[in-house]
Amino acid sequence: MSCSVNFANPLIQSSSVFNNSHKLKPNSFFVLHPLNSPSSVSSKFIKNPFSHRPLSAVLTGEQTDLQSEVGKNDQKAPIRFRDYMLQKANLVNQALNDAVLLRDPLKIHEAMRYSLLAGGKRVRPVLCLAACDLVGGSESAAIPAACSIEMIHTMSLIHDDLPCMDNDDLRRGRPTNHRIFGEDVAVLAGDALLSFAFEHLAAAATAAEVSPERVVRAIGELAKATGTGGLVAGQVVDIDSEGANDVGLELLEFIHVHKTAALLEAAAVIGAIVGGGSEEEVEKLRKFARRVGLLFQVVDDILDVTKSTEELGKTAGKDVAAEKATYPKLMGIEKSKEFAENLRKEAVETLAGFDPVKAVPLIALTNYIAYRQK
């Protein structure tokens, strides 16, 4: 029997796989190093922002074989998930490095690159690439979209960390953008990444021979996910809900579906659009990604109260300190874990009907998000 989650009123039906953590083999790759960027700013984090975390130090844990997702007898998917993610993330990192160059005015481009090339899981761009491949599209068609999505995600992180927002000093194990460049430049760096994301998608996707109609539709999806139909809406309601005692599950879900899930949803949908997917394929991937997006945030809520700052690479416990509503706060840790498992199962079920081999990376990515430890 399939497990159903009502997005307006989440019902907890399945047992938690988090309770069986000894059986899991989560992949522990988190900071994927892009190219070092030169800078005239006098700071060790700018001169060599990645020297303090060598690649080998963040690629720990066991590798999960993608072939296990489609059965031991299927010989078409022999690659390992960690290798797959590294290869795709390195591709995205190179493309981002090439897209945002150091040029005048130097300071703003240094600030943009400081956060954009700081590494990270690169879940959103990889999701975009995998969705494009699932519908039969080429990688070259999806790379511009994947980069644009990561630019907007980076913008949201820069702005989230500002003193007027979450007031955070640490992001991905390094000082936040405003701590290095000041609040004024950090705001402008986020603004610049936001506007350039659309410029890059329009120009680069067209150059990759994506049809004008699909480019326009992709831009529309990205704009919706970013504005008052997505990220901004979730952020505003999140701010208004701080310290409130009447925040229920329905409102919390609205916050997370918009603040976090919307951009993940856009990543998959845009990947399918530029990849030439049919309307049915696009909508199936929309349903898949919405569940994955909410799953990502539920797990994030759990990690915020169960992991240390050192383990996360960002400030732990800040949601509790800010008196924000979270799933653990409203449901408890165990029920939150059960809800996460429901979302994981439903996400995988929505991929039924696609080529099972091409769906493997998306299934593995869903499992990684569910079982991640950072």
Side-chain angles (χ1 to χ4, degrees):
M1 180 181 297
S2 65
C3 177
S4 176
V5 177
N6 183 337
F7 274 77
N9 184 17
L11 300 176
I12 308 304
Q13 298 181 8
S14 69
S15 61
S16 171
V17 297
F18 290 79
N19 295 331
N20 300 316
S21 59
H22 62 287
K23 298 180 181 179
L24 303 178
K25 295 182 179 181
N27 296 283
S28 301
F29 54 92
F30 300 101
V31 179
L32 300 174
H33 295 211
L35 300 177
N36 294 346
S37 59
S39 172
S40 60
V41 178
S42 178
S43 167
K44 67 178 181 179
F45 295 102
I46 304 299
K47 290 178 181 177
N48 191 355
F50 315 111
S51 60
H52 64 299
R53 300 193 75 185
L55 183 60
S56 59
V58 293
L59 292 179
T60 58
E62 297 184 54
Q63 294 185 348
T64 297
D65 196 332
L66 286 178
Q67 186 168 328
S68 66
E69 303 293 345
V70 292
K72 295 180 179 179
N73 295 326
D74 195 320
Q75 301 301 314
K76 297 180 181 180
I79 63 173
R80 294 180 181 274
F81 180 53
R82 189 176 72 166
D83 295 340
Y84 174 88
M85 286 292 289
L86 278 173
Q87 190 267 327
K88 299 302 182 184
N90 286 334
L91 184 69
V92 170
N93 288 335
Q94 181 64 62
L96 289 170
N97 182 77
D98 294 342
V100 182
L101 301 174
L102 277 174
R103 56 188 176 87
D104 291 331
L106 190 61
K107 190 172 186 178
I108 188 64
H109 291 98
E110 288 175 335
M112 292 164 68
R113 286 171 62 90
Y114 175 80
S115 294
L116 185 64
L117 303 180
K121 294 177 284 290
R122 303 301 196 208
V123 168
R124 291 157 189 81
V126 173
L127 179 58
C128 180
L129 296 175
C132 179
D133 181 64
L134 183 66
V135 300
S138 68
E139 196 169 72
S140 62
I143 280 292
C147 289
S148 296
I149 291 162
E150 190 64 16
M151 290 174 195
I152 288 180
H153 175 55
T154 300
M155 172 278 294
S156 73
L157 299 182
I158 294 173
H159 285 180
D160 277 354
D161 291 335
L162 289 168
C164 63
M165 302 284 274
D166 289 349
N167 192 24
D168 216 327
D169 294 332
L170 191 67
R171 173 69 65 177
R172 291 171 175 165
R174 307 193 301 155
T176 46
N177 196 290
H178 68 273
R179 295 291 293 173
I180 298 295
F181 295 95
E183 293 178 43
D184 49 1
V185 174
V187 170
L188 293 171
D191 293 345
L193 284 169
L194 175 61
S195 60
F196 185 62
F198 292 98
E199 177 186 346
H200 184 70
L201 177 56
T206 300
E209 299 185 352
V210 178
S211 72
E213 293 79 11
R214 289 187 179 271
V215 171
V216 169
R217 185 176 177 187
I219 290 172
E221 287 285 346
L222 191 55
K224 180 180 177 181
T226 306
T228 55
L231 194 156
V232 170
Q235 184 69 58
V236 168
V237 176
D238 188 30
I239 292 170
D240 287 345
S241 301
E242 287 184 13
N245 296 318
D246 58 347
V247 178
L249 287 174
E250 187 172 348
L251 183 59
L252 179 62
E253 194 166 279
F254 176 92
I255 292 170
H256 288 336
V257 164
H258 289 77
K259 182 179 176 181
T260 302
L263 196 54
L264 281 152
E265 177 183 324
V269 169
I270 292 171
I273 290 172
V274 300
S278 67
E279 195 63 35
E280 181 183 1
E281 289 173 328
V282 168
E283 291 310 310
K284 286 185 72 172
L285 278 164
R286 188 187 302 279
K287 292 177 182 178
F288 161 78
R290 180 161 295 195
R291 283 158 177 79
V292 168
L294 186 55
L295 169 65
F296 190 98
Q297 187 60 57
V298 174
V299 173
D300 220 46
D301 282 359
I302 294 168
L303 294 176
D304 188 62
V305 295
T306 59
K307 297 294 181 179
S308 67
T309 296
E310 292 71 25
E311 290 173 307
L312 295 177
K314 60 182 179 179
T315 305
K318 64 180 181 180
D319 290 342
V320 175
E323 298 184 327
K324 289 187 177 183
T326 65
Y327 280 98
K329 182 178 180 179
L330 297 185
M331 303 168 66
I333 293 291
E334 293 308 313
K335 287 295 183 182
S336 297
K337 292 175 179 178
E338 292 173 13
F339 182 40
E341 173 61 1
N342 282 354
L343 290 168
R344 187 196 68 80
K345 289 180 177 179
E346 282 208 340
V348 171
E349 288 169 2
T350 61
L351 296 176
F354 285 108
D355 182 324
V357 173
K358 286 191 173 183
V360 165
L362 288 172
I363 295 171
L365 183 59
T366 303
N367 290 337
Y368 159 68
I369 290 171
Y371 306 143
R372 66 194 176 96
Q373 298 299 305
K374 290 187 180 182

